[in-house]
Amino acid sequence: MSEFCAPTLSLLARQFPTSTSVLSQIALLQAKLTLPKERIHIISDVHGDARKLRHVINNASGGLSNLVDEVFGDELTDEEKSIFLAFLYYPVEKMRSYQDRIKNVEWRLTKVKKLLRLQFRLVRHLAKTVTKEELLSLMKEDFRVLFIALLDEVSFQRNPEYVDSMIDALSDYDHDIVALHEASRLVRNLVVSEVVVAGDLFDRGERGDHVIHFLKNQPKVCFTWGNHDITWMGATLGSEVLIATVLRISLRYLRLWQLEEGYGILLSPLANLAKTIYGDDPASCFFPKRSSDFMDEELVARMHKAVAILEFKLMSPIIERHPEWEMENRRHLHLIDYEKGTITLDGKIHPLRDTHFPTIDPDDPYALSAEEQVCMDRLKESFVSSPRLWEHMLFLVKQGGLYLRRDEALIFHACVPTNEDGSFREVQLGEQRVSGKPLFHELEQIVRRAYRQGAHTVTDELDFFYWLWVHGDSPLFGKSQMTTFERYFLDDPETHKEIKDPYFQKIHDAEFCRQVGRAFGVGDDVLIVNGHVPVKVEKGEDPVKKGGNAVTIDGAFSEAYGDHGYTLVMGPNGIRLAEHSHFESIEHFLECQDDMIPQLRELRKHSPAKTIAQTHESEDLQAQLTSLNHLLQAYRSGEVTES
């Protein structure tokens, strides 16, 4: 037994202690390679819209409706199909709509028994695409016996009373409805094998915490981090400037429930600062983007202004610590003429829209006042000590990265920093200059190291979370600069400009996309999948780039951006782009049966249909087979003793 294989074979031998068990696993893996390629759904820029995300995933981007048509044909009327789909998407909510009849146990049991058998006709159809072990793993343990009985009922030609008696027993404790709920989840999870979110789960929308909670309950989910995600990740580690950023955006869009109710973040320190220091400030430039009957909008505007000033102060020491970032032009407070109410930028004098700065000392404009320091200390403690926030951010770190590969799809949030000539731009990170894939690798390691160290032990690498949010070389941002200050305080639109990285124009060129694919190890058949930049469909923009091998799937998914959006559906027969429309609410769907079936566009067709053997996943399976065959030979030669 070679020294190279010895540790691996010793570990494998614990899992497969006999040659028979090894052969059994080899047979299983070889058989798995013949199964259809898994279905993957890629979505981007959810921006806190948990309701719409839930519906898009629950209806499998229209896939469940198509599946029901395929399995049942004309057997169901349009009304029966709509009711059945409603139970597949929202079984609990749909059952509640029958409030009067649900109290009739006989009616309820008849309904549940019929629906469960319809569901398991779908399960039997979908079971052909997975191994038995995978199918069983998707079944909740409490209902596995019932589900196996439903699965085998037809093939065993078993008397219906066998399954009916199980359901009757569950109904005594209202668990028949729970069984219906779990069966719906099983169908949905069989239709979609993996959900990939290409960044920006937070901000603008109502409940980013609900988005992550929902995704945590999916059987398989991965992320590429977006620039908005990185602000929350940095704030959780205690970055004061990113704490201010998260609060500023939440106040700007009046999305405070996710902070207070979702994560237990206390906003009272900021409210107190606004009341005591900004109490008579009209803060007219800082009113939120939306109104609410539950909040004092004047107080929200003053809190918004107070935290914006904190952000402008707190970015300064980071910029000063990193002169190599060349971000001096993002420091503004020392350029203000506080007596005249003007600021000089690039030799031009601009009047300020707001000249009330009660916490700024003109002689030391970036110093926090005593009141601001108390406020920030309390806010920071609230962020770094929130258990649920840590749970969610650790989930993002564990399941995420700066880029992902799924077969020919190369997925990342924004861009690969690029020069005008199409070459990858070198970026200074500490003592080294890197570009392309090595840049993504180094930045990803910085994020992971920071989370391994924790909130109270992070080094200056925490500054890079801010860099990822705002810097022109950040692959999560992709613009020359972030003109937040100018947009708040200056009327001149020229000062608001944020020039996009050349990458966003280059991806219309097929050869450039192939260059990116080769750099990331995907190859010339690459399909680049980005989010970050909303596709303005109303202005005639196309999510598919001119060269045909790049697609932007940020279609303004959340209400704040336009309430459309895209999902990329990768399956055995090809890759399709699903364009989603407005989603009102779950209640509206259940009442009006408005399923929001997306428009589908075929980007690539696989003929014949792809099997797992033809996918990126097969590389891992082949590696496992190689190790197992080595172990089998070692058992047969006697180098390893069977247990």
Coordinates of all heavy atoms in Angstrom, one line a residue, residues 37 88 95 99 113 115 202 259 413 473 482 526 584 586 594 598 615 630:
K37 N -28.9 14.6 -14.8 CA -28.2 15.8 -14.1 C -29.2 16.5 -13.2 O -30.4 16.6 -13.5 CB -27.8 16.8 -15.2 CG -27.4 18.1 -14.7 CD -27.0 19.0 -15.8 CE -27.2 20.5 -15.4 NZ -26.5 20.9 -14.2
L88 N -49.5 22.2 -2.9 CA -48.0 21.9 -3.1 C -47.2 23.1 -2.6 O -46.1 22.9 -2.0 CB -47.7 21.6 -4.5 CG -48.2 20.2 -5.0 CD1 -47.9 20.1 -6.6 CD2 -47.5 19.1 -4.3
M95 N -54.9 24.9 3.5 CA -55.9 24.2 4.4 C -56.6 25.1 5.3 O -57.8 24.9 5.6 CB -55.1 23.1 5.2 CG -56.0 22.2 6.0 SD -57.2 21.2 4.9 CE -56.1 19.9 4.4
Q99 N -61.6 26.9 6.6 CA -61.8 27.0 8.0 C -63.1 26.3 8.5 O -63.0 25.6 9.5 CB -61.8 28.5 8.5 CG -60.5 29.1 8.4 CD -60.5 30.5 9.0 OE1 -61.5 30.9 9.7 NE2 -59.5 31.3 8.6
K113 N -56.2 12.4 2.3 CA -55.9 11.1 1.6 C -55.8 11.3 0.1 O -54.9 10.7 -0.5 CB -56.9 10.0 2.0 CG -56.9 9.6 3.5 CD -58.1 8.7 3.8 CE -58.0 8.4 5.3 NZ -59.2 7.6 5.8
L115 N -55.1 14.1 -1.6 CA -54.0 14.9 -1.9 C -52.7 14.2 -1.7 O -51.8 14.3 -2.5 CB -54.0 16.2 -1.0 CG -55.1 17.3 -1.4 CD1 -55.2 18.3 -0.3 CD2 -54.7 17.9 -2.7
F202 N -29.7 40.9 1.3 CA -30.2 42.0 2.3 C -30.4 43.3 1.5 O -30.0 43.5 0.4 CB -29.1 42.2 3.3 CG -29.0 41.1 4.4 CD1 -28.1 40.1 4.2 CD2 -29.9 41.1 5.4 CE1 -28.0 39.1 5.2 CE2 -29.8 40.1 6.4 CZ -28.9 39.1 6.3
L259 N -34.1 44.4 11.8 CA -33.1 44.7 12.8 C -33.6 44.5 14.2 O -33.0 43.7 15.0 CB -32.7 46.2 12.7 CG -31.8 46.6 11.5 CD1 -31.8 48.1 11.3 CD2 -30.4 46.0 11.6
H413 N -21.1 37.5 -8.2 CA -22.1 38.6 -8.1 C -21.9 39.7 -9.1 O -22.9 40.1 -9.8 CB -22.0 39.2 -6.6 CG -23.0 40.2 -6.4 ND1 -24.3 40.0 -6.4 CD2 -22.9 41.6 -6.1 CE1 -25.0 41.1 -6.2 NE2 -24.1 42.1 -6.0
D473 N -11.9 48.6 -7.2 CA -11.3 47.3 -7.6 C -12.0 46.1 -7.0 O -11.6 45.0 -7.2 CB -9.8 47.3 -7.2 CG -9.0 48.2 -8.0 OD1 -9.4 48.5 -9.2 OD2 -7.9 48.7 -7.6
M482 N -18.1 55.1 -4.9 CA -19.4 55.1 -4.3 C -19.7 56.6 -3.9 O -19.1 57.0 -2.9 CB -19.6 54.1 -3.2 CG -21.0 54.0 -2.7 SD -21.3 52.8 -1.4 CE -21.1 51.3 -2.4
V526 N -18.1 28.2 -21.3 CA -18.6 28.9 -20.1 C -19.9 29.7 -20.4 O -20.1 30.2 -21.5 CB -17.5 29.8 -19.6 CG1 -17.2 31.0 -20.5 CG2 -17.8 30.4 -18.2
E584 N -47.9 39.6 -5.7 CA -48.7 40.4 -4.8 C -48.5 39.9 -3.3 O -47.9 40.6 -2.5 CB -50.1 40.4 -5.1 CG -51.0 41.3 -4.2 CD -50.7 42.8 -4.4 OE1 -50.3 43.2 -5.6 OE2 -50.8 43.5 -3.5
I586 N -49.0 35.9 -0.7 CA -49.5 34.5 -0.6 C -51.0 34.5 -0.6 O -51.7 33.7 -1.2 CB -48.9 33.8 0.6 CG1 -47.4 33.7 0.4 CG2 -49.5 32.5 0.9 CD1 -46.7 33.1 1.7
D594 N -53.3 33.2 -8.7 CA -52.4 33.9 -9.6 C -51.0 33.3 -9.4 O -50.3 33.7 -8.5 CB -52.4 35.4 -9.4 CG -51.5 36.2 -10.3 OD1 -51.0 35.6 -11.2 OD2 -51.3 37.4 -10.0
P598 N -43.5 32.0 -14.8 CA -42.6 32.9 -15.5 C -42.5 32.6 -17.0 O -42.9 31.5 -17.5 CB -41.2 32.5 -14.9 CG -41.4 31.1 -14.4 CD -42.8 31.0 -14.0
T615 N -21.4 15.9 -15.8 CA -21.4 17.2 -15.1 C -20.2 17.3 -14.2 O -19.4 16.4 -14.1 CB -22.7 17.2 -14.1 OG1 -22.5 16.2 -13.1 CG2 -23.9 16.9 -14.9
H630 N -9.1 1.4 -5.0 CA -7.8 1.2 -4.3 C -8.0 0.4 -3.0 O -7.3 -0.5 -2.7 CB -7.1 2.5 -3.9 CG -6.4 3.1 -5.1 ND1 -5.3 2.5 -5.7 CD2 -6.5 4.3 -5.7 CE1 -4.8 3.3 -6.6 NE2 -5.5 4.4 -6.7

